[in-house]
């Protein structure tokens, strides 16, 4: 049975059994505890925690997942994968243990003709949590499993949580007996290679704190309702039903290995264990890399971008070790597209962008690989020259940290030169780096702060947002919150959070700032400072009490500042227009990856690998303003995700959408995006759009900034005034200002060159005087002094050389220092006679370097460098004198 069919059968079964089918969430969700979505339940977490009411009692999904904890183990075994698909069925306070067990057993054991998977019931085993007698009895009653095929296990095996604070509960796992040829008898407790876990049924009933019940720590509380969260590994079921030994042999993964075989001329599974590891790394990482890029991540040096970079670079390294030197990532991307797009059509529709990101990263890595190889070669030659046989751990770490070299690549290169590597030292430095990163993440993590204060308010129902159609709304105060606790009231001067049953005030989301406005009643006035959503359902207004006292239950009027809303609508609609113009000019691969807009201003991040030319920026600005001039109609359509995709609406990376989505159209198909923001009614209401600039915000990501509306007009007015002032100062017409400024700059450069020549001449003319003033230190003529400030390294070197020449055949040392731009520049030169006496310029630098916080060195005849401590120049001269005198 093909993998796509396995997924389809799963969702077909559960939708037939009254489960709502939910599309896979993006791998990138706004969860401070997760780099990537790593389980099917992640997008449903607010419903399990009770932070938001579930929109359906039952759901089913096939969720794309990435787990990165075992990247270094991928390929070494056939069990580790970074990307996988998790099929799940979920119950939110509906059915519990009996229903979960019955559904799983039915789907697994029903015949293929009846829509099941056709597993032999006699080869299935179950495990339950140690004290879960109820689950054990249900397996006997519902599935007819004999007691000897049900095993009790502890928390490490049969308690599930996400590894971070959140929902969890005891679980029951289903295993398939692959047969005696795969290991010893005795069930999952005896051998988990022979008995392969295929489905985990989690009885979600607990909320865990910082310490996990898996380790024996009690939960911090119970969830509001008992829920079901299950996860069936699509890839594991695939290799069982396809009769192969592991996931790397299945229909969606093996084609990548086949492509690598074609490119390298080598074969997988023919007894070369080292090559097999490389083939598996390529197959796993190619899928993971494609899926991660598809959800908007670009390679970088932090967080998700760093993980992606590691994955892609491990592919390139593995291919090169298979003997392939030419670029390969584009080839593998095409294979993954062809195999995976039936389930994930966006891999085909967005292929040009994904392929571009992969190729660019490969190009970058090949360049750094060349640089890193040179660094390694120099280090290796030095090690061998010194008679050593081991590459230090810090050298291996530098290659990893600076050049992206995996440790096994360094090991390979070292072995080729007959060297070993201090792996323990390397891993110790890696552990220190991880500890620093973990501490940093912990300091920034907000985690799942105590949201229980909002649960009672959520139970009263979601906030009714009226802001799309009105700026003022009559409302009732449902609750007041201060410092995470409910309060009965707040008085003048206090800041408090206010939850209303209805509000016209937009809560910050989708890159749009929250509305400004007021909440008032007779004798009470509140200034709205911020509006945020809790669990995407509850609008929480942070307010300052200007006058009176606000209390729960009070009837109020919430009002949006109309001027603010006008500007906010212009900013958000302007963002859509610039995004559409960007795609029109650069092509469909220039997808928005982030945005921020507020009244009069917009910022848009997009996937692109290089800086935009002035001509391109001008074209984007012109296309944007043409759309404004055309007075395009703005229309809002409500539909489901499937309908939005059929319309061609653009969904933004990392955003989470409800079952019903809102599509904002500007000029029909010209701009069509999923969006919950506030917008103008016609494009002409945006006003002028003026691009401020474009910059890099990381590898493969650029940023455009612009003013809109009156802010654009004010900006242009300032620019006009600036040009007019310059024209008046230069006494030329406006249009001649650039040429006149350019001419002045050329004149200035010429004057600077003349000054440099004069200064160089003056310095050289002083060489004779300096040589005559040389002091004798232990038989060596020493010229050591502070040159005039501002004399750079080149001039110092020239002067030092001339002074050295004037010293003639005497043993002599010349050391010149100068303060340049807040730092120290220095040069040390020695005569031939001094070198014969053992005085080398490069070896003299350490004598005075500490005084000026210096770094630098050089050859025996000349050394130069820089330092940070200008105040230490006099001390440096003294130190050099003492070194020559031997004192």
């Amino acid at each position: 049975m093909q993998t796509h069919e396995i997924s389809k059968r799963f969702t077909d079964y559960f939708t037939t059994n009254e489960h709502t089918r939910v599309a896979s969430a993006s791998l990138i969700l706004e969860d401070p505890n997760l780099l990537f979505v790593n389980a099917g339940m992640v997008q449903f977490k607010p419903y399990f925690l009770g932070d938001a009411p579930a929109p359906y009692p039952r759901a089913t999904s096939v969720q794309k997942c990435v787990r990165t904890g075992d990247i270094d183990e991928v390929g070494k075994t056939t069990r580790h994968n970074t990307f996988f698909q998790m099929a799940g069925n979920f119950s939110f306070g509906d059915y519990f243990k009996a229903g979960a067990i019955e559904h799983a057993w039915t789907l697994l054991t029903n015949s293929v003709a009846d829509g099941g998977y056709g597993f032999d019931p006699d080869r299935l085993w179950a495990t339950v949590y140690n004290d879960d007698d109820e689950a054990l009895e249900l397996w006997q009653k519902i599935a007819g499993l004999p007691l000897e095929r049900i095993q009790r296990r502890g928390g490490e095996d049969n308690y599930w949580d996400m590894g971070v604070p959140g929902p969890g509960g005891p679980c029951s796992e289903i295993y398939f007996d692959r047969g005696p040829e795969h290991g010893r008898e005795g069930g999952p407790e005896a051998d988990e290679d022979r008995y392969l876990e295929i489905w985990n049924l989690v009885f979600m009933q607990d909320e865990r704190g910082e310490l996990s019940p898996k380790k024996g720590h009690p939960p911090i509380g119970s969830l509001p309702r008992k829920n079901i969260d299950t996860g069936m590994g699509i890839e594991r079921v695939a290799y069982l039903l396809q009769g192969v030994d592991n996931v790397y042999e299945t229909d969606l993964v093996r084609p990548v290995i086949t492509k690598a075989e074609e490119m390298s001329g080598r074969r997988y599974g023919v007894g070369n264990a080292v090559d097999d590891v490389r083939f598996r790394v390529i197959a796993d990482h190619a899928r993971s890399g494609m899926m991660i890029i598809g959800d908007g991540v670009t390679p970088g040096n932090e967080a998700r971008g760093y993980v992606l970079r590691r994955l892609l670079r491990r592919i390139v390294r593995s291919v090169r070790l298979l003997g392939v030197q030419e670029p390969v990532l584009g080839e593998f991307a095409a294979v993954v597209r062809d195999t995976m797009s039936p389930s994930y059509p966006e891999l085909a529709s967005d292929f040009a962008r994904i392929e571009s990101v992969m190729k660019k990263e490969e190009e970058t890595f090949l360049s750094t690989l060349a640089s890193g190889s040179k660094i390694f070669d120099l280090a290796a030659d030095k090690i061998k020259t010194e008679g050593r046989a081991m590459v230090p751990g810090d050298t291996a770490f530098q290659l990893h940290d600076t050049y992206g070299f995996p440790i096994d690549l360094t090991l390979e290169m070292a072995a080729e030169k007959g060297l070993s590597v201090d792996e323990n030292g390397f891993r110790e430095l890696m552990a220190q780096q991880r500890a620093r990163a973990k501490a940093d993440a912990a300091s920034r993590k907000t985690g799942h702060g105590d949201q229980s204060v909002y649960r009672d308010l959520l139970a009263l129902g979601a906030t009714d947002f009226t802001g799309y159609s009105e700026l003022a709304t009559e409302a009732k105060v449902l609750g007041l919150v201060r410092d995470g606790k409910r309060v009965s009231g707040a008085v003048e001067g206090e800041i408090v959070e206010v939850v209303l049953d209805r509000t016209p005030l937009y809560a910050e989301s989708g890159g749009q700032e929250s509305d400004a406005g007021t909440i008032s009643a007779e004798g009470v006035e509140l200034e709205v400072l911020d509006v945020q959503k809790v669990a995407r359902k509850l609008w929480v207004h942070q307010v300052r009490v200007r006058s009176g006292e606000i209390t729960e239950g009070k009837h109020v009027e919430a009002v949006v500042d109309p001027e603010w809303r006008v500007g906010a609508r212009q900013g958000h609609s302007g963002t859509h227009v610039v995004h559409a113009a960007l795609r029109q000019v650069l092509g469909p691969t220039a997808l928005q990856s982030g945005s921020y807009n507020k009244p009069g201003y917009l910022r848009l991040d997009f996937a692109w690998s290089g800086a935009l030319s002035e001509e391109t920026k001008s074209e984007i600005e012109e296309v944007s303003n043409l759309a404004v001039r055309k007075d395009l109609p703005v229309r809002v359509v409500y539909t489901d995700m499937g309908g939005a995709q059929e319309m061609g609406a653009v969904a933004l990376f990392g955003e989470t959408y409800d079952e019903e989505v809102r599509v904002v159209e500007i000029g029909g198909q010209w701009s069509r995006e999923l969006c919950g923001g506030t917008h103008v009614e016609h494009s002409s209401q945006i006003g002028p759009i003026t691009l401020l600039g474009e910059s890099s915000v990381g590898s493969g990501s650029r940023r455009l900034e612009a003013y809109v509306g009156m802010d654009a007009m004010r900006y242009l007015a300032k620019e006009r005034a600036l040009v007019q002032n310059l024209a008046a100062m230069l006494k030329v017409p406006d249009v001649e200002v650039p040429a006149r400024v350019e001419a002045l700059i050329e004149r200035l450069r010429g004057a600077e060159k003349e000054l440099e020549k004069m200064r160089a001449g003056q310095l050289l003319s002083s060489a004779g005087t300096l040589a005559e003033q040389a002091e004798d230190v232990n038989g060596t003529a020493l010229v050591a002094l502070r040159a005039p400030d501002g004399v750079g390294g080149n001039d110092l070197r020239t002067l030092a050389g001339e002074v050295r020449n004037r010293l003639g055949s005497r043993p002599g040392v010349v050391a010149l220092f100068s303060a340049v731009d807040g730092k120290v520049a220095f040069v040390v030169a020695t005569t031939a006679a001094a070198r014969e006496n053992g005085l080398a310029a490069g070896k003299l630098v350490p004598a005075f370097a500490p005084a000026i916080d210096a770094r630098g060195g050089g050859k025996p005849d000349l050394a130069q460098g820089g330092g940070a401590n200008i105040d230490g120049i006099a001390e440096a001269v003294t130190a050099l004198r003492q070194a020559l005198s031997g004192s």
Side-chain angles (χ1 to χ4, degrees):
M1 187 180 297
Q2 298 296 292
T3 303
H4 297 304
E5 174 66 16
I6 293 169
S7 297
K8 185 175 184 300
R9 280 178 180 260
F10 189 94
T11 53
D12 284 352
Y13 170 85
F14 282 103
T15 52
T16 300
N17 285 276
E18 301 178 335
H19 290 66
T20 298
R21 180 172 181 172
V22 179
S24 172
S26 166
L27 286 167
I28 317 302
L29 290 183
E30 292 184 4
D31 189 317
N33 294 307
L34 296 175
L35 278 179
F36 301 103
V37 168
N38 62 359
M41 57 74 63
V42 172
Q43 66 171 314
F44 304 113
K45 190 161 53 175
Y47 310 147
F48 288 129
L49 285 168
D51 289 340
Y56 26 66
R58 305 177 177 190
T60 184
S61 72
V62 177
Q63 174 66 48
K64 50 191 175 183
C65 301
V66 168
R67 293 181 183 172
T68 60
D70 296 322
I71 287 179
D72 292 326
E73 299 304 313
V74 169
K76 296 178 183 177
T77 73
T78 58
R79 296 179 60 184
H80 291 89
N81 300 106
T82 52
F83 173 80
F84 59 95
Q85 300 171 88
M86 187 64 73
N89 57 288
F90 309 91
S91 165
F92 309 107
D94 188 11
Y95 61 82
F96 198 46
K97 293 181 183 179
I101 291 171
E102 183 172 0
H103 282 309
W105 187 257
T106 301
L107 178 56
L108 288 175
T109 60
N110 269 6
S111 69
V112 173
D114 290 332
Y117 293 129
F119 281 103
D120 181 354
D122 293 334
R123 298 179 71 175
L124 295 177
W125 290 61
T127 63
V128 298
Y129 189 50
N130 267 335
D131 58 1
D132 195 347
D133 295 333
E134 180 186 4
L136 185 143
E137 293 170 2
L138 287 170
W139 277 114
Q140 293 177 290
K141 177 181 177 182
I142 294 172
L145 272 181
L147 192 59
E148 60 268 21
R149 295 218 313 271
I150 308 172
Q151 294 183 332
R152 296 179 186 266
R153 306 188 78 176
E156 288 287 351
D157 297 295
N158 276 68
Y159 191 95
W160 189 92
D161 59 42
M162 294 175 60
V164 294
C171 61
S172 185
E173 296 174 326
I174 306 171
Y175 289 78
F176 178 78
D177 180 2
R178 301 169 68 197
E181 66 274 22
H182 292 283
R184 64 185 188 277
E185 294 188 6
E189 279 200 331
D191 192 330
E192 288 199 8
D193 282 327
R194 171 175 171 174
Y195 300 90
L196 186 73
E197 178 198 341
I198 55 176
W199 204 335
N200 187 12
L201 314 179
V202 182
F203 309 131
M204 194 78 73
Q205 61 191 41
D206 302 326
E207 182 172 0
R208 67 150 278 186
E210 292 295 334
L211 302 176
S212 174
K214 292 171 71 73
K215 306 288 187 181
H217 302 283
I220 62 173
S222 297
L223 296 177
R225 296 180 298 179
K226 292 183 176 180
N227 310 291
I228 288 296
D229 157 35
T230 83
M232 187 192 83
I234 291 289
E235 283 79 6
R236 287 195 177 185
V237 172
Y239 76 73
L240 291 175
L241 294 182
Q242 291 174 19
V244 296
D245 288 336
N246 57 70
V247 66
Y248 292 97
E249 300 286 352
T250 59
D251 59 318
L252 299 189
V253 184
R254 188 58 169 84
V256 181
I257 294 178
T258 301
K259 172 57 71 172
E261 288 177 319
E262 294 172 0
M263 300 176 75
S264 66
R266 302 191 192 182
R267 293 292 173 262
Y268 175 69
V270 294
N272 187 329
V274 175
D275 277 1
D276 285 353
V277 170
R278 294 164 182 162
F279 280 117
R280 287 193 288 265
V281 166
I282 294 165
D284 174 86
H285 290 3
R287 291 211 313 163
S288 301
M290 280 281 287
M291 302 305 291
I292 292 170
I293 296 170
D295 279 350
V297 180
T298 55
N301 292 323
E302 294 182 358
R304 300 181 180 108
Y306 180 68
V307 171
L308 174 60
R309 172 160 284 170
R310 283 193 66 196
L311 293 171
L312 297 182
R313 291 186 172 191
R314 279 171 61 89
I315 298 173
V316 176
R317 174 195 61 84
S318 297
V319 172
R320 288 174 70 85
L321 293 175
L322 287 173
V324 181
Q325 300 300 315
E326 63 267 20
V328 297
L329 291 186
E331 299 275 356
F332 294 137
V335 176
V336 175
R337 174 199 60 195
D338 294 343
T339 56
M340 297 293 291
S341 58
S343 290
Y344 304 99
E346 63 272 17
L347 294 181
S349 60
D350 199 18
F351 181 71
R353 180 188 65 84
I354 297 171
E355 182 189 38
S356 174
V357 171
M358 294 181 77
K359 285 183 173 181
K360 179 65 176 178
E361 178 60 20
E362 183 170 26
E363 178 185 325
T364 301
F365 181 47
L366 290 176
S367 175
T368 60
L369 189 64
S371 302
S373 296
K374 291 178 182 177
I375 297 297
F376 175 83
D377 289 342
L378 289 172
D381 291 344
K382 181 180 179 183
I383 290 166
K384 297 178 78 171
T385 300
E386 294 173 351
R388 294 183 287 126
M390 179 180 286
V391 177
D394 57 357
T395 300
F397 179 76
Q398 179 195 10
L399 287 167
H400 165 85
D401 201 45
T402 304
Y403 297 99
F405 276 37
I407 182 61
D408 39 358
L409 176 58
T410 303
L411 289 169
E412 294 258 2
M413 294 171 65
E416 290 173 1
K417 290 185 174 291
L419 300 172
S420 62
V421 178
D422 179 10
E423 290 188 69
N424 290 334
F426 167 80
R427 299 192 189 285
E428 182 178 342
L429 290 169
M430 284 293 295
Q432 292 173 11
Q433 184 188 63
R434 290 192 188 102
R436 288 193 298 270
K438 187 175 182 180
D440 180 60
S443 69
R444 291 182 285 107
K445 186 192 305 179
T446 57
H448 297 279
D450 184 8
Q451 303 245 315
S452 58
V453 67
Y454 301 112
R455 288 179 187 162
D456 292 340
L457 297 171
L458 277 163
L460 299 176
T463 302
D464 179 16
F465 176 62
T466 65
Y468 292 137
S469 58
E470 59 187 40
L471 298 182
T473 297
E474 298 292 329
K476 179 182 178 181
V477 177
L478 298 181
L480 302 172
V481 178
R482 185 192 298 117
D483 299 329
K485 297 180 180 179
R486 290 278 291 274
V487 293
S488 59
V491 297
E492 185 175 336
E494 292 185 331
I495 294 177
V496 68
E497 293 177 351
V498 177
V499 177
L500 305 176
D501 61 344
R502 307 172 71 236
T503 182
L505 290 143
Y506 184 81
E508 180 182 352
S509 60
Q512 180 177 335
E513 269 198 5
S514 61
D515 277 333
T518 60
I519 299 173
S520 60
E522 186 175 353
V524 180
E525 184 176 2
L526 314 176
E527 176 190 2
V528 177
L529 306 175
D530 188 23
V531 189
Q532 296 291 328
K533 290 182 187 178
V534 171
R536 295 164 50 202
K537 300 292 183 183
L538 201 68
W539 267 239
V540 178
H541 309 73
Q542 185 187 63
V543 303
R544 177 185 289 109
V545 183
R546 285 179 175 170
S547 61
E549 180 181 7
I550 186 68
T551 57
E552 282 196 8
K554 199 171 194 67
H555 289 272
V556 297
E557 182 182 34
V559 179
V560 179
D561 180 333
E563 285 300 314
W564 178 280
R565 176 62 70 84
V566 167
R569 294 167 73 199
Q570 290 176 318
H572 203 148
S573 296
T575 306
H576 284 225
V577 166
V578 173
H579 186 206
L582 191 70
R583 288 164 59 80
Q584 180 174 316
V585 174
L586 298 181
T589 61
L591 269 178
Q592 177 179 326
S593 56
S595 69
Y596 169 73
N597 55 82
K598 63 180 181 178
Y601 171 84
L602 68 87
R603 184 181 75 208
L604 187 147
D605 297 344
F606 60 100
W608 200 252
S609 58
L612 303 185
S613 67
E614 290 300 322
E615 293 78 8
T616 299
K617 287 185 284 187
S618 294
E619 187 177 357
I620 293 168
E621 187 176 71
E622 182 172 350
V623 171
S624 299
N625 283 292
L626 283 173
V628 171
R629 190 184 71 176
K630 288 178 181 178
D631 195 29
L632 301 173
V634 178
R635 185 171 76 108
V636 173
V637 178
Y638 289 91
T639 182
D640 58 18
M641 183 59 78
Q645 290 173 339
E646 289 178 9
M647 294 170 64
V650 176
L652 301 184
F653 300 132
E655 290 290 328
T656 303
Y657 299 100
D658 294 324
E659 289 303 297
E660 182 181 68
V661 295
R662 183 173 183 261
V663 179
V664 176
E665 293 182 341
I666 301 178
Q669 65 180 4
W670 188 75
S671 171
R672 188 174 280 152
E673 297 187 23
L674 274 67
C675 182
T678 59
H679 289 274
V680 299
E681 294 162 0
H682 293 270
S683 63
S684 61
Q685 295 172 341
I686 297 171
I689 297 173
T690 299
L691 293 188
L692 302 177
E694 181 260 351
S695 59
S696 171
V697 286
S699 176
S701 186
R702 309 293 298 179
R703 170 172 292 172
L704 278 174
E705 295 180 87
Y707 284 139
V708 299
M710 289 303 299
D711 286 83
M713 292 288 291
R714 295 185 186 102
Y715 175 78
L716 291 173
K718 288 180 181 178
E719 293 282 290
R720 183 180 62 215
L722 176 62
V723 172
Q724 289 175 341
N725 287 338
L726 283 172
M729 291 169 62
L730 298 171
K731 295 181 173 58
V732 295
D734 293 0
V735 294
E736 294 182 15
V737 167
R740 179 58 64 89
V741 170
E742 186 175 356
L744 288 173
I745 290 173
E746 284 301 316
R747 287 176 60 187
L748 180 61
R749 286 174 179 162
E752 288 176 343
K753 288 180 180 179
E754 288 299 318
L755 285 172
E756 287 178 3
K757 289 180 181 179
M758 292 175 61
R759 184 172 60 185
Q762 289 174 343
L763 283 171
L764 290 176
S765 67
S766 67
T769 301
L770 294 176
E772 291 174 1
Q773 295 174 351
E775 59 180 305
D776 185 281
V777 179
N778 203 17
T780 298
L782 173 64
V783 178
L785 53 86
R786 176 172 179 168
D789 291 351
V791 178
N794 290 336
D795 289 340
L796 279 182
R797 187 169 60 249
T798 301
L799 177 59
E802 186 63 26
V803 173
R804 178 179 58 187
N805 293 338
R806 298 295 182 94
L807 292 176
S809 60
R810 288 184 291 169
V813 174
V814 181
L816 303 179
F817 303 83
S818 177
V820 183
D821 296 329
K823 296 183 179 179
V824 179
F826 70 82
V827 173
V828 180
T830 58
T831 63
R835 294 192 294 275
E836 290 174 2
N837 291 341
L839 295 176
K843 292 183 178 180
L844 289 172
V845 173
F848 62 80
I852 55 173
D853 191 14
R855 58 190 182 281
K859 299 177 181 179
D861 63 327
L862 186 71
Q864 69 180 100
N869 182 20
I870 294 173
D871 295 335
I873 291 177
E875 183 182 344
V877 171
T878 301
L880 179 58
R881 184 181 295 111
Q882 291 174 344
L884 291 177
S885 67
S887 59

